[in-house]
Amino acid sequence: MVMQSGNGVMQNGDVVIGIDGGGTHTRVMVADLQGNVLSYVKKGASFLHKDANAKQNVHQAIQEALQQAGKSPSQVKQVTAGIAGYDSPSDEEWVTSLTAVPGLHCPKEHVNDTVVAHSGALLTKPGIIIISGTGSNIYAVTETGEQIRNYDLCHYAASAARFLAYDATFELLAGNIDETDQALAAAILSHWEQTSVAGLAELARVGFIEDQRERNRRFAQLAPVITEAAFRSSRLAQTVCDRAIHQIAVGIEMLAAYFASEEVKLSFIGSVINSDYFRQRLSSTLQKGKNKQYRIVNPAFSPVAGAVLQALSYLHIPIHTDVLHNLSLHPCSKMG
């Protein structure tokens, strides 16, 4: 079967590749032109500044995904890759190297990972996605198609997992704890294999861990402990989480001001923002929104599935309900 798209003739059996490249994992999905998922592979991080093996991780993921799908690089008609850390033209060289796989000569679209996350969550419709997990980002697409990140306004919400953990640890070292924080304090000490705050202070004095990547990774592992402690009424944890939630709310309100409609859709992505405490507290805060009214919706698709949708759209293939249905049949097309 021969198909005609806006980008020329395509054969039955041709495919697209969607990539969600994050600071922890790389997810690669191969789908046919009807949205049927043929393979899915998960490897290590794509972000060069988080993992020195980023290029190798992505290359291996692409090659394994093609092998599992039974496809050759020549059958790929489009690659769309959302890459964490792709923030400026100076990043282009290392970002484009991630998909420079031998034989893969099709058009390639490289964007920040928030772009494919938005495409998946809101199906390219206007709205704001809030990412808070390994990283932190707030990204809006307005009714006119304008793309705005909180970064563009020189704003950053320090709500990524590692920031919560650093903040909580510093509060503990500063002695800002009470009887509600005993379980949290014990968990932080246990995480660092210490038996006292004095021991933790000595570890802090030498920088915890010399390698920054490893240090950030170890701190990030503490985030679920902190959000759970906040949900269970730890004053210290709630103080830390509320600071981050306030920064997220400010970022949302700033971006919402660029929308014409009175109601703006929001979607939450990431382990931190989807924790019970964050989701409930932020939802409550936004009910008193200053600039707009907000409607929180669950993401329709995962970021890697969003990358597939963008790849199909790039080829001018209509995203009909049949395509969305086919894509939804694969479990990794959904969040969670």
Side-chain angles (χ1 to χ4, degrees):
M1 178 180 176
V2 176
M3 295 180 62
Q4 183 76 30
S5 83
N7 284 36
V9 175
M10 290 179 289
Q11 302 292 328
N12 188 34
D14 287 343
V15 297
V16 298
I17 294 178
I19 301 173
D20 171 32
T24 304
H25 295 112
T26 297
R27 296 172 173 87
V28 173
M29 183 173 281
V30 176
D32 67 18
L33 304 185
Q34 292 77 44
N36 296 294
V37 178
L38 306 180
S39 65
Y40 169 83
V41 170
K42 183 167 75 170
K43 291 290 185 181
S46 298
F47 186 16
L48 181 63
H49 302 302
K50 292 283 183 68
D51 189 335
N53 295 317
K55 180 178 176 180
Q56 180 181 351
N57 294 338
V58 181
H59 282 212
Q60 286 182 351
I62 292 171
Q63 290 165 335
E64 286 186 22
L66 285 173
Q67 184 178 20
Q68 287 184 18
K71 300 295 180 180
S72 66
S74 64
Q75 291 177 286
V76 181
K77 296 304 174 185
Q78 171 67 26
V79 174
T80 293
I83 305 297
Y86 188 16
D87 297 321
S88 69
S90 64
D91 297 311
E92 185 173 351
E93 182 177 355
W94 70 264
V95 168
T96 56
S97 74
L98 298 177
T99 59
V101 172
L104 194 61
H105 302 307
C106 66
K108 299 169 186 175
E109 177 189 25
H110 301 90
V111 295
N112 185 273
D113 60 332
T114 56
V115 177
V116 298
H118 190 285
S119 293
L122 298 176
L123 299 179
T124 71
K125 300 294 193 300
I128 300 174
I129 62 164
I130 302 91
I131 298 175
S132 181
T134 302
S136 171
N137 209 329
I138 306 172
Y139 173 75
V141 177
T142 70
E143 298 93 340
T144 61
E146 185 179 10
Q147 301 175 22
I148 316 170
R149 293 179 301 165
N150 62 322
Y151 293 0
D152 299 328
L153 280 60
C154 302
H155 173 267
Y156 182 75
S159 64
R162 66 187 185 278
F163 289 117
L164 291 186
Y166 277 113
D167 204 2
T169 302
F170 297 153
E171 293 284 351
L172 174 59
L173 289 171
N176 295 328
I177 62 172
D178 62 22
E179 64 278 0
T180 68
D181 306 317
Q182 298 308 309
L184 175 60
I188 293 174
L189 291 175
S190 175
H191 181 76
W192 292 108
E193 300 179 350
Q194 300 297 319
T195 58
S196 67
V197 174
L200 183 64
E202 286 304 309
L203 185 64
R205 191 166 176 269
V206 295
F208 294 97
I209 296 173
E210 183 177 359
D211 181 76
Q212 184 179 4
R213 288 193 186 101
E214 178 62 16
R215 182 171 65 249
N216 285 340
R217 187 188 70 82
R218 286 289 302 279
F219 266 99
Q221 291 172 345
L222 268 173
V225 174
I226 296 162
T227 55
E228 178 63 22
F231 188 69
R232 297 187 180 280
S233 302
S234 160
R235 186 199 58 80
L236 187 158
Q238 289 183 350
T239 296
V240 167
C241 291
D242 288 349
R243 278 200 286 255
I245 290 167
H246 175 74
Q247 292 176 49
I248 292 172
V250 168
I252 291 170
E253 294 275 20
M254 290 169 67
L255 295 188
Y258 294 94
F259 285 74
S261 58
E262 287 302 312
E263 183 182 79
V264 177
K265 284 185 181 180
L266 306 177
S267 197
F268 298 162
I269 299 173
S271 58
V272 172
I273 200 165
N274 279 302
S275 65
D276 290 335
Y277 186 82
F278 262 72
R279 193 174 180 91
Q280 291 180 17
R281 190 77 165 185
L282 182 57
S283 299
S284 176
T285 299
L286 293 173
Q287 287 179 359
K288 308 164 189 173
K290 303 295 190 302
N291 285 328
K292 301 289 180 179
Q293 294 179 348
Y294 301 101
R295 180 153 62 96
I296 299 170
V297 299
N298 291 326
F301 287 102
S302 64
V304 68
V308 167
L309 288 174
Q310 277 203 205
L312 293 172
S313 295
Y314 186 93
L315 296 174
H316 303 294
I317 294 173
I319 308 300
H320 294 310
T321 54
D322 287 348
V323 171
L324 295 176
H325 171 73
N326 292 338
L327 189 59
S328 72
L329 296 177
H330 195 280
C332 293
S333 291
K334 296 295 186 179
M335 296 297 295

